[in-house]
Amino acid sequence: TSRGYLPRFTCTNVLIQPIFNTHDMMKPVLFVLATFCLAATANAQISFGLRGGMHQLITKPSDITVGSGDTSFILGLKDARVGYQFGGYVRFGRGIYFQPELMFNSSRADYSVKEFSVKELVKNETYNYLDMPLMVGFKLGPLLFHGGPVGHYYLNSTSELTDVEGYEARFDQFTWGWAAGLGVGAGRVGVVLRYEGNFNNQGDHIRFFGDEYHFSNNPARLTLNVNFKIVGR
């Protein structure tokens, strides 16, 4: 400006205001980012930290038959590899608390393709998501108990199933699941174990020749993370 003033940037005009002018799929992402930003300047009982760990799918669905007649084949989940995740969290409150998180999550699955009179083929897929758990819980001594919804924002994927004729992947941009778990902490370090479920069918992104295929069950996994508190008591 003529007086040499610099524009003032705040969490409100950088993150919160765009939430109301953004595509619906991105609003949950911006909401969590705004929460992290606001936590840095708020005067409430707030702690902030980093977290990371691994997860393992614990549901193995039945195989599905793709197509019909001589051109049909069997598609099955052969193995779900251990995945990893990392990110951060903000905790509002002490005894009873609200804890939004922002986590990068990577998963891999190996699929078996069994055609008649042809040996089994193994094809893998890797998926990357931005997970947004919104946990509500309470603290009892060193123990933490919490649960709540989890948003999954699809980032990207790679797949060897593209080698199979007619395959196409159509991931929903944003889906919801839920999680419940417990943790134990001492000082700035804590360990958290959770059970996570999903409201979508497993493999519902799978398409062959334009037709949708998915496994009959909803995916569920166990996650084990280490928390490191940076700010707060």
Side-chain angles (χ1 to χ4, degrees):
T1 63
S2 60
R3 297 185 179 182
Y5 293 139
L6 293 176
R8 183 180 179 183
F9 293 95
T10 66
C11 292
T12 301
N13 59 37
V14 173
L15 287 176
I16 295 181
Q17 290 178 4
I19 289 178
F20 300 101
N21 300 305
T22 308
H23 192 277
D24 289 342
M25 292 302 181
M26 283 300 297
K27 287 182 179 180
V29 180
L30 292 175
F31 170 75
V32 176
L33 289 174
T35 302
F36 273 77
C37 188
L38 287 171
T41 57
N43 294 320
Q45 295 178 342
I46 293 176
S47 60
F48 168 83
L50 303 176
R51 64 193 318 265
M54 62 187 68
H55 56 81
Q56 175 64 60
L57 190 72
I58 59 175
T59 54
K60 185 174 176 60
S62 301
D63 296 347
I64 56 178
T65 301
V66 178
S68 60
D70 295 337
T71 60
S72 66
F73 61 90
I74 305 298
L75 180 69
L77 180 64
K78 186 177 182 64
D79 185 30
R81 305 292 183 90
V82 174
Y84 65 90
Q85 55 186 182
F86 60 87
Y89 71 91
V90 177
R91 184 178 301 160
F92 298 86
R94 293 182 183 175
I96 298 176
Y97 62 88
F98 170 56
Q99 180 173 300
E101 304 170 6
L102 193 63
M103 303 286 292
F104 173 81
N105 169 53
S106 183
S107 305
R108 171 175 164 169
D110 292 342
Y111 293 99
S112 65
V113 180
K114 302 175 185 177
E115 299 180 8
F116 294 105
S117 70
V118 179
K119 68 177 182 179
E120 176 187 32
L121 301 176
V122 177
K123 305 291 184 179
N124 68 69
E125 280 193 329
T126 301
Y127 330 97
N128 295 321
Y129 282 86
L130 194 62
D131 288 353
M132 290 157 280
L134 302 173
M135 299 290 101
V136 176
F138 66 93
K139 184 176 181 182
L140 186 62
L143 299 179
L144 300 173
F145 303 88
H146 53 241
V150 180
H152 304 284
Y153 185 81
Y154 170 74
L155 296 176
N156 54 60
S157 62
T158 59
S159 178
E160 292 181 350
L161 283 174
T162 54
D163 298 337
V164 182
E165 185 180 0
Y167 175 75
E168 181 185 5
R170 293 184 186 177
F171 288 87
D172 291 333
Q173 193 68 57
F174 193 85
T175 59
W176 284 102
W178 60 276
L182 58 88
V184 58
R188 296 193 175 274
V189 180
V191 178
V192 178
L193 178 67
R194 287 181 187 165
Y195 177 93
E196 293 190 3
N198 202 297
F199 297 126
N200 288 55
N201 287 324
Q202 190 165 342
D204 61 358
H205 65 281
I206 296 174
R207 305 287 191 281
F208 281 99
F209 301 103
D211 294 329
E212 178 181 343
Y213 294 87
H214 58 75
F215 299 104
S216 59
N217 66 322
N218 300 93
R221 67 184 182 182
L222 286 177
T223 69
L224 181 64
N225 284 273
V226 175
N227 291 356
F228 182 74
K229 188 184 301 181
I230 297 176
V231 177
R233 291 183 291 176

